[in-house]
Amino acid sequence: MTLLFKIGFLEISIVNMIDIALVSFLLYQVYKLLKGSVAIKIFLGFLSIYLVYLLVRALRMELLSSILGQFMGVGVIAAIIIFAPEIRKFLLLIGRSSLLSDDNVWKDILFFWRKKDNSSFNISPIIDASKTLAGSNTGALMVISKSTELKFYAESGDILDAELSKRLLVSIFNKYSPLHDGAVIIHNGKIKAARCILPVTEREVPAQFGLRHRAGIGMSEATDAVILIVSEETGQISMAKNGKVLHNMSFQEVRETLNDYLNSLDVDSRFENLEDYEMKKKRKLAMTSKS
């Protein structure tokens, strides 16, 4: 073990520095994952108690150390229960960026003998239906999935497995349709299911985003799908991916984004963090009030 320097009685080695750097990186990633949600306050509370526990152990305060030690032992199980959705998101994030993820070049090299599926299909029915729905201020929520059929979420609604068409989408989201209340899941050119229940995000969202937008953002956090949202109040089109949003999009932007996503091109950089979107909106309001 190579010694770098000493601070009093502490001997700092290269391994120690790597260890500290890795822990810092991990804590930062966890903070980014929890940022903007209620869970961040619970996480900071756990972290504070753990730091106090390390301090009292270093000071050899036996009674307090044993009490906090018992709490930390139970706290690990409690943290797994409390942070179950966040742990799922974290594992999903690792799965997306792993060597064998769908979009990774190594998977293509390792499984070169497998024919690569083309997940692209004609999205014109989605665009045409969105135009009609937006024009009549009819709310809609469409989940467009490239990699999987999202069977878990599809089974929460009514299975259709129907060919994608403008008329069918407009009929589903018609205010008098029994299928309009919920989301439609689209995969490989087919409407897999309608009236599906989506997970609602626990993060703080801009005030103008209603329950439909919260569900769309929540679904984008839980899966790698792109979610298209038509606002019932304004008729504006929004899209969500990986917990980020694009708001008040033109139909040309929607077409380009969907086509690029289905053709495995990088579209993540086009979407905005909710915090950045809110700040941008405040700046616009401030500039408008000044003028």
Side-chain angles (χ1 to χ4, degrees):
M1 192 182 297
T2 307
L3 182 66
L4 289 178
F5 55 88
K6 294 179 69 174
I7 304 175
F9 61 89
L10 291 176
E11 295 183 349
I12 309 297
S13 67
I14 293 175
V15 175
N16 297 139
M17 295 299 291
I18 294 172
D19 190 23
I20 293 168
L22 289 174
V23 170
S24 302
F25 176 75
L26 181 62
L27 289 174
Y28 176 67
Q29 292 300 320
V30 171
Y31 174 76
K32 275 178 62 179
L33 189 70
L34 301 179
K35 187 180 177 183
S37 68
V38 179
I40 187 64
K41 295 178 182 178
I42 303 171
F43 172 72
L44 291 174
F46 269 113
L47 190 60
S48 301
I49 293 172
Y50 182 66
L51 291 175
V52 171
Y53 170 65
L54 292 178
L55 180 63
V56 297
R57 259 185 59 183
L59 295 173
R60 299 183 182 278
M61 300 169 71
E62 300 295 337
L63 182 59
L64 192 56
S65 180
S66 61
I67 293 171
L68 288 176
Q70 292 294 324
F71 177 80
M72 293 308 299
V74 179
V76 173
I77 300 171
I80 292 172
I81 296 169
I82 293 169
F83 295 118
E86 282 72 24
I87 291 170
R88 185 177 180 278
K89 289 177 196 174
F90 183 67
L91 293 174
L92 182 66
L93 188 67
I94 292 172
R96 285 178 190 167
S97 57
S98 67
L99 289 175
L100 297 179
S101 63
D102 286 335
D103 299 327
N104 197 286
V105 67
W106 290 106
K107 186 173 182 179
D108 295 335
I109 294 171
L110 291 173
F111 301 107
F112 62 90
W113 63 84
R114 288 177 56 184
K115 184 181 177 181
K116 189 162 183 174
D117 296 328
N118 184 11
S119 55
S120 183
F121 55 87
N122 182 20
I123 62 168
S124 290
I126 298 174
I127 307 300
D128 295 339
S130 299
K131 288 178 183 177
T132 303
L133 294 166
S136 60
N137 278 29
T138 303
L141 190 56
M142 306 181 205
V143 179
I144 298 100
S145 174
K146 177 182 63 174
S147 54
T148 64
E149 297 181 13
L150 302 173
K151 286 185 179 179
F152 175 78
Y153 298 101
E155 287 170 359
S156 69
D158 296 322
I159 303 296
L160 299 180
D161 201 28
E163 290 297 325
L164 181 62
S165 73
K166 172 193 169 181
R167 285 187 224 176
L168 183 53
L169 285 173
V170 173
S171 299
I172 288 171
F173 289 112
N174 184 286
K175 294 175 185 179
Y176 302 103
S177 167
L179 297 175
H180 84 281
D181 191 16
V184 155
I185 293 177
I186 299 169
H187 173 71
N188 200 23
K190 286 193 173 184
I191 300 174
K192 291 296 178 181
R195 207 174 61 85
C196 301
I197 300 169
L198 305 186
V200 178
T201 183
E202 295 179 3
R203 296 159 62 199
E204 293 181 9
V205 299
Q208 74 269 27
F209 289 171
L211 184 59
R212 190 174 281 108
H213 288 82
R214 293 181 66 89
I217 294 167
M219 185 66 169
S220 74
E221 292 172 341
T223 67
D224 64 349
V226 164
I227 292 80
L228 190 149
I229 308 138
V230 181
S231 172
E232 189 173 349
E233 289 75 23
T234 62
Q236 293 178 340
I237 307 291
S238 303
M239 294 182 77
K241 189 176 189 298
N242 291 340
K244 300 178 180 181
V245 293
L246 273 174
H247 188 53
N248 196 14
M249 300 175 69
S250 69
F251 294 109
Q252 183 59 33
E253 289 174 329
V254 173
R255 184 181 292 276
E256 289 174 1
T257 304
L258 279 179
N259 273 327
D260 289 347
Y261 164 71
L262 292 171
N263 287 300
S264 300
L265 299 177
D266 180 29
V267 296
D268 290 3
S269 56
R270 304 177 194 179
F271 290 79
E272 295 178 323
N273 288 313
L274 292 174
E275 297 82 6
D276 297 339
Y277 174 80
E278 191 68 19
M279 284 179 64
K280 198 181 283 186
K281 186 189 168 190
K282 286 178 181 177
R283 284 198 205 104
K284 284 182 181 177
L285 288 172
M287 289 174 66
T288 306
S289 61
K290 283 179 183 178
S291 58

